[in-house]
Amino acid sequence: MATNRAKRINMAGMLFAMLIATTVHAASPQLNRVLPRGGQRGTEIDLVLDGVRLADAKEILFYEPGISVTKLDIVNEKQVKAHVKIEPGAELGQHTLRVRSATGISELRTFWVGPFPIVAEKEPNSEFDHPQKIDLNVTVEGVVDNEDVDYFQIEAKQGQRISAEIEALRLGDAMFDPFVAILDSNRFVLASADDTALLKQDAFVSVVAPKDGSYIIQVRETSFGGGGESRYRLHVGTFPRPRGIYPSGGPAGQAVPVQFIGDVLGPIAKTLQLPAAPSEDFLVLVDHNGQTPPSANHFRVSPFPNVMEVEPNNEAKTATPSDLDAPFAFNGIISEKSDIDFFKFKAKKDRALEVNVYARRLHSPLDSVLTIYDAKGNQIAQNDDSGGPDSYLRFNPPADGEYLLSVRDHLNQGGPDYIYRVELTFTKPSVTLAIPNNGGQPTQERQTIPVPRGNRFATLIRATRANMGGDVSIAAKDLPDGMKMDAAPVVNGGDVAPVVFEANADAPLAGKLGDLIGHPLDPNVKDSDGTFHQVVELVYGPNNTSYHKIPIDHLTAAVTEEAPFKIDIVEPKVPLVQNGSMNLKVVATRKEGFKGVISLRMLFNPPGVGSAPSIDIPADKTEALYPLNCADNVPARKWKIAILGSSDVNGPLWVSSQLANLEIVAPMIIGKLNMAAAEQGATTNLVCEIEQKTPIAGRAKAQLLGLPANVTAEEKEIGPEDKKIVFDVVTTPKSPPGQHGGLLCQITMIKDGEPIVQAVGRGGTLRVDAPLPPKPSATTKPAQVVEATTKPAAPPPPKTLTRLEKLRLEQEQAAKEGKTP
Amino acid sequence: MSTMRRIIFASLVLAPLCAFPFLFAEEAPKPATGPRLESFPAKITLETSRARQSIVSRIAQPNGITKDVTTEAQLSVADPKIAVFEGNILKPLADGTTEVRVTHSGQTQAIPLTVHNATVERPISFKLDVMPVFLSTGCNVGSCHGAARGKDGFRLSLFGFDPDGDYFRITRELATRRINLAQPKESLLLLKSIGAVPHTGGKRFAEDGPQYATIMRWLEAGAPKDSPEVAKPTSLEILPTQMVLEGEGAKQQMVAVAHYSDGTERDVTSQALFLTNNENSAAVSPAGLVTAAKRGEAFVMARFATFTVGSQAIVIPKDLKYEFPNVPENNYIDGLVNNKLKKLRIVPSELCSDEVFLRRAYIDIVGQLPTASEHDRFVTDTDAKKRDKLVDELLNRKEFVEMWVMKWAELLEIRSNNDVSYKSALLYYQWLEDRISRNVPFNQIVRELISATGGTFKSPATNYYQITKENLKLSENTAQVFMGVRVQCAQCHNHPFDRWTQDDYYGFAAFFSQIARKAGDDPREVIVFNGGGGEMKHPLGDRVVAPKFLGGETPDTKGKDRREVLADWISSPENPYFAKNLGNIVWSHFFGRGIVEPVDDVRISNPSSNPELIEELGKKFQSYNYDFKRLVRDICTSRSYQLDTHTNPTNEADERNFSHATVRRMRAEVLLDCIGEVTNTKEKFRGLPLGSRAVQIADGTTSNYFLTTFGRATRETVCSCEVSMQPSLSQALHLLNGDTVQSKITNGNLVKQMLDAKQPPEQIVKDLYTRCYSRQPNEKELAKLLTFLPQAHGTTQPSVDETQKALNDLFWAMLNSQEFLFNH
């Protein structure tokens, strides 16, 4: 008995040790969901974070201020609990976060801060007659199961504003398109909403209670779908819910009088004190009777002044004029059906203007059509959708003078909330940086920078240029201590470059929200440095179309625990020749006992360079050759390359090689393969005429590749003096007859002990002929036929004949033998 | 035991609906007003020396019977200098005006006659003279040279839709082969036609015939091409337009007159192609002589140029004794139905019983069966107007709306596909439901639909343009659904059996050539709008075709949304098809057969069985401001709708004239809903809450085994043939062995509930009868059924379980019976 127990303890100990062993080298954690989906500001709540590889979680990185983690408990490998404090001043709406563990960084997920206390949805509430009773000014956290309908009952007084706003698709959990309605106690729908311009698929409804009594809020998926992941946060209360702000932009640093439009109680007038710095999407929450809506309206803070429309301006002659010179912004509302607004502005010849309508981008229902006219009212240019549903034109004035522009709705719709803003600005060079999509779904793959201590990690960075060209250098800002970045510039004509991050062996384990700076290297482009701007895809709908994506402005990097392997490129001493190939050597340094297969992939192929998608370093090996080839006609220049290595250590762990040099040079030898033909079983000469642009140093080997089966040609050796290579092509009676294209001559020369391989005469052709069937008259002499074709090659000294010469010779021979061809 | 019992039950309740003897009295014939001489055409114009006109005469009896006297009538010209008769053919002599006199059995009829250019020979014309030869001799039919690739290397346009192309192929293609102007007699065109040289099509006409002479004349003239001024045929008449032939072998000669764009007219009897749609009743010879055969009705047609026109021929037995019974007429429908029956000498069936009417009206109007209490209330009601009251009550139920939403969802093909998300389909369905339940006038709904603009979510009617995106298909569907016209044939050639030409086809399609689409905010949404540009090209010559209403004018569409112009016309009284077509669709729902059948194949060669009735339905529908609820009321309160299914000797063969009700299987959705209703069970469909009825399915792709087996429309085409009412073995097997009936009986557990409520088995049998058949079992049935219940055997009290099993078996047998499955 005792021994038994000892055994058990022993075994338990071993199991424990094994667990430790397998979790030492872990990949980045995976974060699937955060529950609850939100909290009330000014409170403290417990969050449950579900995922994979969470056992070594160290912190939760919140991108926005206002939420702090006071306690982090690891429940198990798949769950972490966090006690968080939401500051009273925390911004309402979406907060983004990732989990950082000792070994990596998770996906981005969201958490929502609201103004109201949270109430959990309680089933059964799927029938109108049995709703869940709730108070006003609460947030319900619920789930719409498949074909589920949730009903909530509130009590309201006559004249009281009842608003319901849902966060569903916005939560980023699932393709859940909600529908919200307010019904009276007799089942009459007072207001319903499916999709809204302000919240896209999400919805809000507002009514003024017609009398004292109960009202029912209905929530369902718009087409009776739903499921376990179809979670929502439903805010029900007396809060204001404007649809837009007019004007929806204003000059930075100034106090701007605005109207919040579309609230059920009518427009709300306010004066906004705008920040000093311009902002593309400034979020504004209106305060009305001490309440704000649960989510903001959108506003543009611009470095230029406003011009407001003056109705009537439905015709060119009543156009609202601007006394200002660009840049400035016109503001207006397409207030009713078939409304069209005209504006007049001054412009200078050849001083190109960017004319941008902001409507849908400001969540206005307007689908604008922008038209520009000359002073006489003749149309010059028109655009509907170049800025998404918004309109955009680059207008190059043909002469100094006055011009007109008009804005209308594409379907000639209109309404009090069809707000828009037309910004007239001058073109300005700009650049933004982002990590390109790494493959299929989920597209959050490798969008963060976890760098193991004493190791490297690499990514491509895409530079999106506007109104400029030229090289862009990339620099990093706010990386964790002990981490540095080595980046190749994004060269003119391309848009991506490899970037390698390296962490010191003694760097502290820590994560940080950093940034990248893209700097145009063209000295004529000034003040146009760009930063990191990543769009994170959260929800996909039918046909893998993106339904919800959110922008983030931080590059998240972390120093993680040591990885069990490291890889390095053995930098080639010889160049890659156009039309040539190379085997790039990659060596792996394995930690004692690490036996995983290391999968390698080129992070970046310079233009024209092709490679296998990936190759493996087998478990028992420490190196591999990565075959590269180079196309014809690509620029000769030096590139930086890097190779990523990954291995499955309870999930994929990624490291990178150093940033290595690869030079592409023009071909040293050019040439062409002449056509050749042989009857089955015969031997023929195939000539490769060459021109040595760079004379061969020493001797080189030439090989004829691409021959069909049962056809051989011996390798030849050539020197600097050779002008042609003659291959003896040997066929057999089994050689397949027909035209065999795609032959090439591969020349391999050695420099600095490394081979330079290149192909010449690509596309050569060999024809193999089946012997003619013996003619009835000639059946007696079949042997001579073969003899006749082999003869020309036989006489010494061997003279290589062109195809034409051979044909002539054959003809003559045949004539001599009295054969009719 | 149970299986055995089931078979016995089944044999009891599956007995065919037995016919019971029909009684009607033959009354004395009404007094006649005397026979009347009629001659055709009503006026004659002879233009140029080769003009001819045949005269057809007949005697019309007061009882409607007509007798051809063409050969017996005496024909004369008042002024014999102006024209002369050769047989019944009139030839011009000199210019002038006079009259032709037709005399028979003491009556004389005068026909005005005008002769122009009596001595002038009209120049031979390829289009006017030669082309008709190809049609009348069958050269350009689809199986001969009219095939898309021609025949034996020679192609003519099908039924002559492309005369210019035919001229080119005869005179220019393979130059010198087909015609020989030096020796016209040696032209292959002629040699082949008379069979002088081998010809796959054999001999088409004789060397001494008029067709030969015509072509010869054209060749001798040098095979001229028509000048653009040559008149075009504008219409065709076939006379007489109606005939009632008595007895097998009775004959009637027809005369066909073509009218031309220059105002002239010509007798084209010899050039027209005569066809009949019912050889059994009336055959027609190539010369236009109709010969009566079996009792019935036929439609005799003549085709000339692009026109096909028809004439109704009714054949009745000789010396038939017939008297129409004195039956009440509830409204205009009965009068019009009965008029037709009188013509055909048919006596309508009797009025059906209250119970039959109750069940029929419930199934047809609301797609449900009456409950026991509804049954009792109706049967015991003594109000003489109770049937009208019931119809009104049912019309105001939500289920009535749902039935029609389903029917329209079928015609509008509401189903999700790659271009239409489920959400779109659902919103489209809800849009339709909203319109129909608010009783929006139907022309208004159609107007909204055809001119729909906006996002497929925000303005769901635009899904009409997403479900079908191809412009030609869209125009075909629009014509088929809203006008009942199939124009598909005219895409490639003029319609062979209708008036539609390629010009009509592309002119109509041109209304859809400017539809534009762009992506909406939601990736599933598409915005459909008027793009303002894009033209429809005619395949012959690639010319732009201006939008033209089908059978109507060419409207001004400049600067307008063409679809709005079309929508206005389609739903307006100017459109001769719209109201009639909708009337016919409604009619067909209640009678199981349209007045034009199929409802979406209105064409000259598929005439309506009662033109006056369909005309009147259309008029009423218009005058009701397209409120189709009122139309349904007219139909359901008519006596014709309330006739019995049992026939009498005069109407047993009648399938088209509504002289009796027809036994119709319930359509798939209604049947499933009714099974659910009588068994007290709920069904679950994708994307709809539990308990939704099959009739409420929004998306055509949603189905289940039962619905598919019973022929539910998949909504893949607009064709009315999508709903299949054909019986099949799998239907029978599914009902007998499948899980629908059995599991619903088990799940509903109705019999047990009745037993638990201490109902005696006899009462339960009665209740089940009322539930399933809306009637009480008769004495005989009840007595027989009770013998199979355990109570009938032995003295011991049977267990509740045994009784329950037996009653469930009875229930099962009833649900499998024809009386349940059919509306009768």
Side-chain angles (χ1 to χ4, degrees), chain A residues 147 177 201 360 367 547, chain B residues 423 518 521-522 524 684 687:
Chain A
E147 290 149 24
D177 182 358
Q201 277 80 18
R360 200 59 62 82
D367 174 2
Y547 270 75
Chain B
K423 176 169 170 174
K518 70 174 192 177
D521 260 357
D522 189 308
R524 292 168 294 178
K684 177 76 199 78

Side-chain angles (χ1 to χ4, degrees), chain A residues 147 149 175 177 194-195 197 201 220-224 360 367-368 384-385 389 410-411 542-543 545-547, chain B residues 418 422-423 426-427 430 453-455 457 518-519 521-525 527-529 684-689:
Chain A
E147 290 149 24
V149 184
M175 177 60 210
D177 182 358
D194 175 1
D195 300 342
Q201 277 80 18
R220 61 171 167 87
E221 206 275 339
T222 184
S223 42
F224 296 99
R360 200 59 62 82
D367 174 2
S368 65
D384 179 5
D385 284 345
H410 172 245
L411 299 174
N543 301 327
T545 37
S546 173
Y547 270 75
Chain B
N418 282 344
Y422 180 71
K423 176 169 170 174
L426 191 69
L427 291 171
Q430 286 167 350
T453 293
F457 287 177
K518 70 174 192 177
D521 260 357
D522 189 308
R524 292 168 294 178
E525 190 178 19
I527 295 166
V528 176
F529 60 100
K684 177 76 199 78
F685 300 105
R686 178 183 72 105
L688 293 174

Side-chain angles (χ1 to χ4, degrees), chain B residues 510-739:
Chain B
F511 284 106
F512 299 93
S513 64
Q514 303 194 333
I515 302 165
R517 297 173 179 85
K518 70 174 192 177
D521 260 357
D522 189 308
R524 292 168 294 178
E525 190 178 19
V526 174
I527 295 166
V528 176
F529 60 100
N530 173 28
E535 295 293 347
M536 188 54 68
K537 295 278 185 71
H538 198 296
L540 292 181
D542 214 26
R543 65 193 155 86
V544 169
V545 187
K548 179 176 179 296
F549 300 134
L550 207 51
E553 59 178 73
T554 307
D556 174 26
T557 53
K558 202 160 184 289
K560 299 178 190 167
D561 185 341
R562 290 182 175 186
R563 297 175 305 140
E564 278 184 19
V565 177
L566 176 67
D568 284 340
W569 177 79
I570 282 210
S571 56
S572 75
E574 278 79 62
N575 177 354
Y577 295 94
F578 181 70
K580 282 199 278 184
N581 177 50
L582 291 184
N584 193 36
I585 289 174
V586 176
W587 180 275
S588 128
H589 174 78
F590 290 98
F591 284 86
R593 180 184 174 92
I595 304 168
V596 173
E597 176 71 20
V599 293
D600 53 1
D601 196 7
V602 176
R603 71 188 133 84
I604 288 158
S605 47
N606 180 32
S608 76
S609 63
N610 193 332
E612 294 81 12
L613 176 61
I614 197 166
E615 196 68 41
E616 190 59 25
L617 282 179
K619 272 191 200 149
K620 291 279 179 191
F621 193 32
Q622 263 172 30
S623 70
Y624 295 161
N625 193 20
Y626 300 93
D627 172 358
F628 87 114
K629 216 182 240 189
R630 284 187 67 181
L631 196 66
V632 172
R633 191 180 186 285
D634 285 353
I635 291 172
C636 293
T637 54
S638 75
R639 190 174 191 280
S640 302
Y641 174 70
Q642 299 174 15
L643 294 181
D644 208 290
T645 52
H646 299 100
T647 56
N648 60 53
T650 66
N651 73 0
E652 62 192 2
D654 174 41
E655 296 292 339
R656 339 184 335 131
N657 296 295
F658 317 108
S659 59
H660 58 86
T662 44
V663 178
R664 293 166 283 142
R665 204 205 70 215
M666 285 193 250
R667 41 178 302 151
E669 294 92 336
V670 173
L671 182 56
L672 184 58
D673 289 344
C674 285
I675 294 176
E677 189 193 340
V678 296
T679 54
N680 236 354
T681 52
K682 285 179 179 175
E683 196 72 31
K684 177 76 199 78
F685 300 105
R686 178 183 72 105
L688 293 174
L690 177 71
S692 298
R693 294 156 60 231
V695 167
Q696 297 167 321
I697 294 174
D699 180 0
T701 57
T702 302
S703 191
N704 64 21
Y705 184 79
F706 183 93
L707 294 175
T708 307
T709 306
F710 281 83
R712 169 179 201 270
T714 55
R715 303 186 191 166
E716 276 165 344
T717 69
V718 296
C719 182
S720 61
C721 57
E722 279 257 317
V723 178
S724 169
M725 300 294 245
Q726 296 299 313
S728 72
L729 187 63
S730 53
Q731 290 171 7
L733 289 174
H734 184 68
L735 287 175
L736 292 167
N737 303 328
D739 54 8

Side-chain angles (χ1 to χ4, degrees), chain B residues 136-199:
Chain B
S136 62
T137 57
C139 301
N140 57 13
V141 298
S143 55
C144 293
H145 300 289
R149 292 207 174 112
K151 204 64 149 188
D152 294 349
F154 177 41
R155 191 197 151 204
L156 287 169
S157 58
L158 186 68
F159 297 112
F161 70 85
D162 180 19
D164 292 331
D166 290 344
Y167 180 84
F168 169 82
R169 284 181 283 266
I170 290 167
T171 62
R172 298 285 186 275
E173 197 180 71
L174 298 178
T176 75
R177 178 174 169 80
R178 291 177 180 149
I179 56 171
N180 184 343
L181 294 181
Q183 287 178 284
K185 261 177 174 308
E186 296 302 308
S187 296
L188 197 60
L189 188 67
L190 286 173
L191 293 177
K192 287 258 186 185
S193 304
I194 58 172
V197 295
H199 180 213

Side-chain angles (χ1 to χ4, degrees), chain B residues 737-756:
Chain B
N737 303 328
D739 54 8
T740 303
V741 172
Q742 183 56 44
S743 69
K744 278 184 181 291
I745 289 173
T746 315
N747 294 343
N749 214 3
L750 208 65
V751 169
K752 180 159 190 303
Q753 286 165 24
M754 289 173 169
L755 286 170
D756 289 350

Side-chain angles (χ1 to χ4, degrees), chain A residues 371-403:
Chain A
T371 313
I372 297 180
Y373 316 79
D374 64 17
K376 288 179 188 151
N378 299 315
Q379 183 175 326
I380 299 175
Q382 188 173 64
N383 180 263
D384 179 5
D385 284 345
S386 284
D390 289 346
S391 312
Y392 160 79
L393 281 170
R394 172 172 292 192
F395 174 52
N396 205 355
D400 286 8
E402 287 205 316
Y403 294 89

